């Protein structure tokens, strides 16, 4: 069992609420979530479709802002911040992997990995990119376009892109959802290895119980609330 | 990788849209540059053509001033004549430096071969401008005339002043009629007061080198011979005059002195130039309107193309923001794409305008046949630079809105909208 009180808290959320307003109706996507994310820990958010998993990790990755509650990312309070200020929070702290990979189709594998570094203005060399690509086993695909890769390879590129800025927290939204079982298992093993090697926090959403069992901690969402 | 390379890859990755957008900008720039070239070139061409006349003032029979304006530049029909004593009187004016009398008549050219045999033509006739000139004064007025040399042209000379069957042909008319020194040229003239034309046979004694002016299209014969053939003894079409000092005051004084001769008008070639330029003004406004519409359409095209690109790439833009792109960086990226589109479009447009300037010149010459013989479209480096800079500035302005739209996209909504 992980002793959480010995680990550094990277993300801390209290009473997080995210409401959507449609005409007279209020949709409570998240309704009072308390959550902590620790360095070197893998946290699985389990739940059925529509339970609020993606909404929660959008808040935890500063891609969206809560309607109510307290949220600290890397020690900074993100409540009330503008989009520009949220960008500053995201940069260098959060690495995000999407279910549908979302690589830029006009760029090569190496350029996709280098993209966050360009936006952050971080100096990098081809060698730096090669090291990252090597860590996900795609060094020989560095000049390929995303359309020339398989689903598993594209997800590995997405992982490499997320890791390029050396984030403190890696967030993955159903990262194996678009992959076959074997490829999904391989990609997930890669995630866990990298998390341990780099001592970063790892949050993933899934409705795959097998994957959830391999994580350090699991929370289950239902109707926007943690039920276990 | 940097923003420029990224933007370029985005454009190359969508080749059809990129090429169509660049094509729209290029066409608009080509139209605008051609118009600018026309504005510059036409004035210069008018001045050049008038300079080639060799004189600054014309005295001619009273009539339409616009006809007077075009008469000496491209010839004309319905010519009016003045008595040749006007020439002898004006010659004595103290302000006159040089003066030459000219008789212009239109001869019906016969479709016959070099040696007088029936030609293979379609049987139709055309007109040839026949200029009767006083050789001595004409040569003083236009000292740049030289004779063409080479096989078939050597030995060219001016006609004998007393000859009635010798002609000198301008460069273009000789080329068109395929005549060389020693050839025969047939023309029929309907003498004043007669009904039936009379056929005349002339011997070509010289062909002039190209001057680039209306003189290239004339057939020259001795003044007296022309007056006789057209049965207009002692009549002239115009008197060309070069003043010792040409300015507004001298011109008005000179005009005042000679308007006393009945049925005579004194026309300054400055006035001619003004008349021609004002005549062309309406056409210029219409062409400018077309160019402005083309530019507006191109700007709308650029905005549309970039907006479509932004909408199509909302997911990508959301991802870029998710991985760390700021609003400013997204704005700059989309703006750079607009910059590339308009810059490349402007350069292609300039090249199109340069390559197509000959065709535009021919079309304008056909539409606006005002007797200009030199290039009517003058595309200069400053004009091209102005066109490129203007296109880029307009393009960047056009790119502001789509760039702002892209920059203001919220990442979550942008990504979700693309899924």
């Amino acid at each position: 069992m992980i002793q959480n009180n010995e680990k550094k808290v990277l993300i801390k959320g209290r009473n997080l609420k995210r409401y959507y307003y449609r005409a007279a109706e209020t949709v409570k996507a998240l309704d009072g979530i308390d959550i902590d994310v620790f360095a070197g820990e893998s946290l699985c958010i389990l739940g059925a479709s529509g339970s609020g998993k993606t909404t929660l990790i959008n808040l935890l990755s500063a891609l969206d802002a809560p309607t109510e509650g307290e949220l600290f990312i890397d020690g900074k309070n993100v409540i009330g911040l503008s989009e520009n200020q949220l960008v500053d929070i995201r940069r260098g702290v959060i690495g995000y992997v999407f279910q549908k990979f979302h690589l830029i189709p006009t760029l090569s594998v190496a350029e996709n990995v280098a993209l966050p570094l360009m936006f952050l203005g971080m100096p990098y060399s081809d060698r730096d990119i090669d090291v990252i690509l090597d860590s996900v086993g795609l060094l020989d695909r560095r000049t390929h376009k995303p359309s020339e890769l398989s689903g598993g390879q594209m997800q590995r590129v997405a992982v490499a892109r997320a890791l390029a800025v050396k984030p403190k927290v890696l967030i993955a939204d159903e990262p194996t959802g678009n992959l076959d079982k074997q490829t999904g298992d391989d990609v997930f093993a890669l995630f866990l290895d990298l998390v341990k090697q780099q001592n970063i926090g790892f949050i993933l959403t899934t409705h795959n119980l097998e994957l959830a069992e391999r994580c350090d901690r699991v929370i289950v969402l239902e109707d926007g609330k943690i039920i276990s | 990788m940097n923003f420029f390379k990224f933007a370029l890859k985005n454009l190359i990755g969508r080749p059809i849209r990129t090429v169509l957008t660049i094509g729209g900008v290029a066409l608009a720039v080509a139209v605008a540059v051609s118009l600018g070239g026309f504005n510059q070139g036409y004035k210069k061409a008018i001045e050049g053509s008038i300079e080639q006349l060799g004189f600054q003032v014309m005295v001619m029979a009273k009539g339409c001033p616009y006809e007077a304006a075009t008469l000496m530049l491209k010839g004309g029909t319905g010519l009016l004549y003045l008595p040749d004593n006007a020439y002898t009187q004006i010659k004595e004016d103290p302000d006159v430096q040089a003066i030459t009398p000219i008789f212009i008549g239109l001869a019906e050219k016969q479709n016959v071969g070099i040696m007088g045999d029936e030609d293979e033509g379609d049987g139709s006739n055309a007109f040839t401008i026949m200029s009767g000139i006083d050789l001595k004064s004409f040569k003083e007025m236009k000292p740049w005339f030289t004779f063409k040399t080479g096989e078939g042209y050597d030995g060219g000379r001016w006609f004998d002043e007393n000859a009635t069957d010798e002609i000198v042909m301008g460069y273009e008319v000789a080329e068109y009629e395929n005549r060389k020194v020693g050839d025969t040229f047939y023309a029929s003239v309907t003498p004043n007061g007669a009904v039936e034309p009379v056929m005349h046979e002339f011997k070509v004694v010289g062909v002039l080198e190209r001057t680039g002016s209306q003189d290239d299209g004339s057939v020259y014969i001795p003044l007296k011979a022309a007056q006789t053939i057209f049965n207009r003894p002692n009549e002239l079409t115009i008197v060309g005059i070069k003043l010792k000092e040409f300015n507004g005051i001298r011109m008005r004084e000179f005009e005042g002195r000679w308007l006393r001769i009945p049925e005579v008008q004194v026309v300054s070639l400055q006035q001619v130039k003004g008349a021609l330029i004002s005549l062309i003004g309406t056409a210029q406004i219409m062409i400018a309107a077309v160019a402005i519409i083309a530019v507006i359409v191109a700007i709308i095209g650029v905005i549309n193309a970039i907006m479509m690109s932004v909408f199509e790439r909302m997911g990508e833009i959301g991802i870029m923001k998710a991985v760390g792109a700021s609003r400013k960086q997204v704005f700059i990226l989309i703006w750079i794409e607009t910059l590339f589109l308009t810059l490349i479009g402007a350069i292609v447009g300039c090249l199109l305008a340069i390559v197509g300037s000959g065709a535009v010149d021919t079309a304008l010459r056909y539409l606006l046949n005002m007797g200009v013989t030199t290039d009517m479209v003058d595309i200069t480096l400053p004009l091209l630079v102005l066109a490129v800079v203007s296109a880029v500035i307009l393009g960047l302005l056009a790119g502001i809105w789509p760039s702002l739209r892209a920059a203001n996209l919220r990442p979550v909504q942008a990504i979700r909208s693309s899924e």
Side-chain angles (χ1 to χ4, degrees):
Chain A
M1 184 70 187
I2 302 284
Q3 298 300 308
N4 289 341
N5 53 359
E6 296 170 9
K7 290 181 175 285
K8 183 184 177 188
V9 178
L10 296 172
I11 299 176
K12 179 180 172 184
R14 291 291 177 270
N15 194 29
L16 292 175
K17 294 180 181 176
R18 183 69 173 97
Y19 295 169
Y20 297 101
Y21 302 99
R22 291 180 189 141
E25 185 190 5
T26 299
V27 178
K28 296 179 177 179
L30 292 177
D31 193 16
I33 302 286
D34 292 334
I35 191 168
D36 292 311
V37 179
F38 300 96
E41 180 200 51
S42 55
L43 169 65
C44 178
I45 302 171
L46 199 61
S49 291
S51 59
K53 302 189 298 290
T54 300
T55 304
L56 178 57
I57 60 169
N58 283 342
L59 297 187
L60 300 181
S61 57
L63 285 175
D64 197 7
T67 310
E68 264 184 63
E70 289 181 346
L71 179 60
F72 293 86
I73 298 176
D74 198 28
K76 292 169 191 157
N77 188 354
V78 302
I79 303 300
L81 296 185
S82 67
E83 171 59 24
N84 272 347
Q85 290 166 318
L86 289 176
V87 168
D88 288 337
I89 297 290
R90 282 198 293 273
R91 287 178 157 189
V93 177
I94 308 291
Y96 203 115
V97 178
F98 300 88
Q99 180 183 357
K100 292 182 180 171
F101 327 129
H102 286 306
L103 303 177
I104 306 295
T106 52
L107 301 182
S108 69
V109 165
E111 288 165 341
N112 264 287
V113 173
L115 196 62
L117 298 170
M118 183 186 83
F119 288 133
L120 265 66
M122 290 171 66
Y124 64 92
S125 64
D126 288 348
R127 168 84 187 130
D128 297 331
I129 302 302
D130 288 349
V131 168
I132 299 167
L133 284 175
D134 197 27
S135 70
V136 297
L138 284 176
L139 186 56
D140 59 338
R141 296 285 189 272
R142 70 184 320 282
T143 59
H144 288 225
K145 289 280 170 59
S147 58
E148 297 163 345
L149 303 178
S150 67
Q153 289 171 327
M154 281 196 272
Q155 195 58 298
R156 283 166 183 270
V157 177
V159 173
R161 180 178 65 186
L163 294 173
V165 292
K166 296 186 171 50
K168 293 179 179 173
V169 182
L170 181 62
I171 297 178
D173 186 13
E174 302 201 28
T176 61
N178 270 14
L179 305 176
D180 61 66
K181 185 175 183 310
Q182 183 58 50
T183 310
D185 285 347
D186 292 346
V187 168
F188 190 72
L190 173 69
F191 273 121
L192 294 182
D193 284 349
L194 293 169
V195 167
K196 295 301 174 196
Q197 281 170 23
Q198 301 183 18
N199 194 36
I200 58 178
F202 176 44
I203 309 168
L204 86 153
T205 66
T206 185
H207 42 243
N208 184 327
L209 290 174
E210 283 182 39
L211 295 183
E213 285 172 1
R214 292 161 67 181
C215 292
D216 296 324
R217 197 153 56 96
V218 178
I219 59 173
V220 181
L221 279 185
E222 190 178 292
D223 295 333
K225 293 180 177 175
I226 295 175
I227 57 169
S228 69
Chain B
M1 193 170 63
N2 55 44
F3 281 87
F4 285 96
K5 193 175 172 187
F6 188 17
L8 203 55
K9 278 177 174 280
N10 282 335
L11 294 176
I12 292 169
R14 294 164 179 85
I16 295 175
R17 174 176 299 159
T18 301
V19 167
L20 287 176
T21 310
I22 286 174
V25 175
L27 277 177
V29 170
V31 169
V33 168
S34 297
L35 173 73
F38 172 65
N39 276 336
Q40 287 187 161
Y42 187 74
K43 198 173 173 190
K44 204 185 283 182
I46 293 268
E47 285 168 350
S49 291
I50 287 174
E51 190 67 27
Q52 287 282 346
L53 284 175
F55 41 82
Q56 311 135 333
V57 183
M58 294 187 299
V59 173
M60 58 192 4
K62 278 185 177 159
C64 172
Y66 291 137
E67 185 173 356
T70 57
L71 180 68
M72 282 309 298
L73 295 174
K74 75 181 189 73
T77 55
L79 296 170
L80 299 172
Y81 297 93
L82 68 159
D84 65 1
N85 62 6
Y87 165 69
T88 51
Q89 290 177 62
I90 298 167
K91 193 178 176 181
E92 303 305 322
D93 189 287
D95 280 340
V96 169
Q97 181 186 336
I99 183 167
T100 188
I102 300 173
F103 180 97
I104 295 174
L106 293 177
E108 206 172 343
K109 180 187 67 186
Q110 297 300 298
N111 244 350
V112 290
I114 296 171
M115 300 309 293
D117 51 321
E118 285 300 317
D119 199 12
E120 62 281 0
D122 58 5
S124 64
N125 296 335
F127 291 99
T128 297
I129 300 169
M130 302 204 67
S131 298
I133 56 172
D134 169 60
L135 193 53
K136 183 171 178 291
S137 60
F138 191 78
K139 280 161 68 178
E140 283 173 10
M141 196 69 82
K142 305 196 184 202
W144 53 82
F145 274 3
T146 56
F147 285 98
K148 192 175 177 181
T149 55
E151 189 180 346
Y153 298 102
D154 284 338
R157 60 172 176 81
W158 283 105
F159 41 69
D160 185 323
E161 279 197 86
N162 297 316
T164 56
D165 60 349
E166 290 184 353
I167 58 169
V168 169
M169 299 183 89
Y171 182 91
E172 277 178 14
V173 71
E175 285 279 305
Y176 184 74
E177 299 295 337
N178 195 21
R179 293 298 193 271
K180 294 181 176 177
V181 173
D183 288 345
T184 304
F185 180 75
Y186 290 87
S188 64
V189 171
T190 306
N192 183 31
V195 177
E196 291 298 320
V198 177
M199 175 75 83
H200 293 272
E201 179 181 326
F202 299 99
K203 185 184 176 191
V204 180
V205 296
V207 174
L208 295 169
E209 276 289 6
R210 186 193 288 277
T211 63
S213 73
Q214 65 291 331
D215 292 328
D216 293 340
S218 272
V219 171
Y220 296 95
I221 62 172
L223 178 61
K224 285 292 174 198
Q227 289 170 327
T228 304
I229 289 169
F230 285 90
N231 192 29
R232 289 187 178 275
N234 306 318
E235 288 187 22
L236 298 173
T237 312
I238 65 157
V239 177
I241 298 155
K242 189 185 280 184
L243 297 179
K244 287 174 183 165
E245 188 184 351
F246 183 70
N247 55 46
I249 297 167
R250 289 288 186 205
M251 178 62 204
R252 276 194 291 279
E253 286 174 2
F254 181 82
E255 195 176 20
R257 281 199 294 277
W258 295 107
L259 280 176
R260 68 171 187 257
I261 303 179
E263 299 303 313
V264 157
Q265 63 179 340
V266 179
V267 179
S268 154
L269 288 174
Q270 289 293 332
Q271 291 170 277
V272 171
K273 188 169 73 180
L276 290 178
I277 288 172
S278 70
L279 272 177
I280 218 72
T282 308
Q284 279 180 316
I285 290 168
M286 288 178 67
I287 295 170
V290 171
I292 289 168
I293 290 168
V295 168
I296 291 170
V297 169
I299 291 170
I300 292 170
V302 168
I303 294 174
N304 182 54
I306 297 292
M307 280 303 292
M308 289 296 290
S309 174
V310 167
F311 286 135
E312 189 183 82
R313 292 154 58 200
M314 276 177 77
E316 276 181 40
I317 293 166
I319 295 301
M320 286 190 274
K321 297 188 91 169
V323 301
S326 66
R327 289 179 68 221
K328 186 179 168 188
Q329 287 173 322
V330 172
F331 181 91
I332 288 172
L333 178 70
I334 304 298
W335 223 29
I336 289 173
E337 289 182 22
T338 317
L339 172 71
F340 275 132
L341 287 174
T342 48
L343 181 63
I344 297 169
I347 291 170
V348 172
C350 286
L351 293 175
L352 277 178
I354 292 167
V355 171
S357 62
V360 173
D361 193 275
T362 306
L364 288 171
R365 202 175 294 283
Y366 175 75
L367 291 169
L368 309 167
N369 185 10
M370 300 301 291
V372 173
T373 51
T374 52
D375 288 344
M376 288 171 77
V377 180
D378 183 24
I379 297 173
T380 59
L381 185 62
L383 177 65
L384 295 173
V385 171
L386 179 68
V388 172
V389 170
S390 304
V392 168
I393 290 171
L394 285 174
L396 289 179
L397 290 176
I400 288 176
W401 186 47
S403 302
L404 276 177
R405 286 289 298 266
N408 289 330
L409 285 174
R410 296 188 72 84
V412 171
Q413 289 153 347
I415 294 166
R416 195 175 291 149
S417 70
S418 69
E419 291 179 339

